[in-house]
């Protein structure tokens, strides 16, 4: 039956539709903020028809505090309570929100906490049932550092879930496929030898976040070598991307993780208004096939990050999942 749900992937989703940032500052002018629930609505409709759903459950705030400092956590809570409409920093790294594109609204804390709950729910289900899961939620997380938020991110969803797995004695690999470097995830695990962070992204010499994502950043102390950045130029096509992905996969294979978390950004699609790669819809299937044919890992959790064109997001996700799990 065409509408029969496939059980090869389970998903947990919550788009926090009440949380709608209005604006950001780009090159000194106000523009419309693209991190809105509408960007992922078509994706949600698709996976609800295709796969089995997990209901999110609430987790203790202590999980957030194992990754973010208490000072930063309290800032997000307090600022969300006291803001009238929308607070937006005007300069970089003066505020605990490090950029000028990540506004705080009254709904910010509750939406960011709910996104954490969704990713933790998907992660726990993957472990308990030894089945792949997909967390579709927003706001995203991979730009949020221990002490700073930014890049539309407040709490680092993937890092919090990785810490959850690490406390179960696992070694975790995080493969970040968002167009932008996940400076937050790198920051959190830069000195942790039990977590491998591998990122394929737009060269920070030209693209956000600019200060992070260079090849020379490899980890510190006992964790040296557990951080791999593969920056690529604008207009990168599938052939160049596949070579980078093969390098990333080899690094993951050598690390021998118990669990793989994929930070899936669909802003690498050629029609995304924010990313600057040239990947076509069918290329995402090739990416999925390359991953699933090369890696055999007990636990797999996919977490959606960026992607700002609703139609290309849908096309990218459909093809990526088809490559991972078969048509």
């Amino acid at each position: 039956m065409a509408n029969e749900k496939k059980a090869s992937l389970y998903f947990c989703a919550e788009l926090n539709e009440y949380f709608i940032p209005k604006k950001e500052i780009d090159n000194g002018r106000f523009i419309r903020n693209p991190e809105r629930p509408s960007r992922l609505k078509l994706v949600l409709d698709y996976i609800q028809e295709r796969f089995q759903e997990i209901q999110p459950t609430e987790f203790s705030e202590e999980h957030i505090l194992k990754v973010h400092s208490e000072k930063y956590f309290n800032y997000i809570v307090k600022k969300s309570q006291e803001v009238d409409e929308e607070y937006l920093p005007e300069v970089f790294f003066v505020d605990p929100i490090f950029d000028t594109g990540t506004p705080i609204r009254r709904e910010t804390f509750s939406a960011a906490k709910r996104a954490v709950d969704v990713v933790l729910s998907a992660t726990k289900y993957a472990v308990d049932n030894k089945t792949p899961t997909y967390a579709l939620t927003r706001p995203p997380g991979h730009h949020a550092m221990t002490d700073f938020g930014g890049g539309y991110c407040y709490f680092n969803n993937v890092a919090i879930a990785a810490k959850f797995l690490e406390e179960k004695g696992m070694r975790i690999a995080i493969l970040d496929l968002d167009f932008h470097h996940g400076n937050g995830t790198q920051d959190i695990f830069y000195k942790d030898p039990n977590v491998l962070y591998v990122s394929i992204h737009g060269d920070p010499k030209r693209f956000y976040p600019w200060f992070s994502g260079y090849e020379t950043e490899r980890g510190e102390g006992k964790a040296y070598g557990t951080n791999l950045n593969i920056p690529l130029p604008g207009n990168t096509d599938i052939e160049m991307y596949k070579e980078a992905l093969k390098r990333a996969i080899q690094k993951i294979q050598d690390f021998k993780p118990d669990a793989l978390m994929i930070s899936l950004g669909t802003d690498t699609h050629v029609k995304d208004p924010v990313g600057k790669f040239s990947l076509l819809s069918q290329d995402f299937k090739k990416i999925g096939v390359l991953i699933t044919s090369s890696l055999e890992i007990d636990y797999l959790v996919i977490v959606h990050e960026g992607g700002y064109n609703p139609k290309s997001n849908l096309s990218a996700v459909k093809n990526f999942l088809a490559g991972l799990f078969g048509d």
Side-chain angles (χ1 to χ4, degrees), residues 44-276:
L44 177 59
D45 292 344
Y46 171 74
I47 61 174
Q48 282 180 328
E49 292 178 359
R50 188 82 170 163
F51 302 105
Q52 300 294 326
E53 186 166 8
I54 309 158
Q55 293 303 315
T57 57
E58 187 172 357
F59 286 77
S60 167
E61 295 172 355
E62 290 300 315
H63 291 284
I64 300 174
L65 291 168
K66 290 174 181 176
V67 163
H68 295 288
S69 68
E70 186 173 359
K71 180 180 179 181
Y72 172 70
F73 176 85
N74 289 338
Y75 173 84
I76 296 297
V77 173
K78 186 172 184 293
K79 199 71 175 177
S80 298
Q81 292 171 341
E82 68 185 20
V83 69
D84 288 329
E85 182 178 353
E86 189 168 85
Y87 169 73
L88 188 62
E90 296 182 12
V91 272
F92 269 62
F93 277 112
V94 171
D95 191 283
I97 297 298
F98 70 78
D99 63 12
T100 60
T102 310
I104 295 180
R105 302 177 59 82
R106 281 196 174 271
E107 310 88 1
T108 292
F109 172 71
S110 61
K113 171 61 167 60
R114 186 63 167 171
V116 169
D117 288 341
V118 167
V119 177
L120 283 173
S121 296
T123 302
K124 185 176 187 301
Y125 193 91
V127 172
D128 291 346
N129 297 277
K130 206 169 183 178
T131 187
T133 58
Y134 174 30
L136 180 70
T137 192
R138 54 170 292 278
H142 76 149
H143 292 301
M145 298 180 280
T146 300
D147 296 305
F148 294 92
Y152 314 142
C153 304
Y154 305 94
F155 299 138
N156 196 312
N157 307 318
V158 165
I160 293 165
K163 180 64 71 173
F164 174 82
L165 294 177
E166 186 180 16
E167 290 184 338
K168 294 181 179 294
M170 295 186 190
R171 284 163 62 84
I172 302 98
I174 301 171
L175 175 61
D176 195 327
L177 302 180
D178 192 278
F179 174 78
H180 304 95
H181 178 247
N183 58 285
T185 313
Q186 173 175 293
D187 170 72
I188 290 163
F189 294 115
Y190 205 62
K191 298 179 181 180
D192 188 337
N194 295 315
V195 179
L196 171 69
Y197 179 68
V198 181
S199 178
I200 304 172
H201 52 267
D203 192 336
K205 291 177 183 176
R206 289 191 55 202
F207 305 115
Y208 185 96
W210 301 296
F211 65 88
S212 178
Y214 295 90
E215 289 187 271
T216 53
E217 298 159 7
R218 299 178 183 176
E220 287 185 8
K222 293 181 179 179
Y224 184 82
T226 63
N227 195 91
L228 175 62
N229 289 323
I230 308 177
L232 298 174
N235 297 318
T236 285
D237 62 13
I238 188 58
E239 294 308 316
M240 186 181 297
Y241 196 91
K242 279 169 63 178
E243 290 306 307
L245 184 56
K246 288 175 184 176
R247 184 179 166 198
I249 288 170
Q250 184 62 60
K251 185 73 173 180
I252 294 169
Q253 289 173 332
D254 293 342
F255 186 73
K256 296 180 175 61
D258 302 298
L260 172 65
M261 303 195 71
I262 299 177
S263 285
L264 178 64
T266 47
D267 48 1
T268 52
H269 194 286
V270 65
K271 291 187 178 180
D272 190 89
V274 177
K276 302 299 179 184

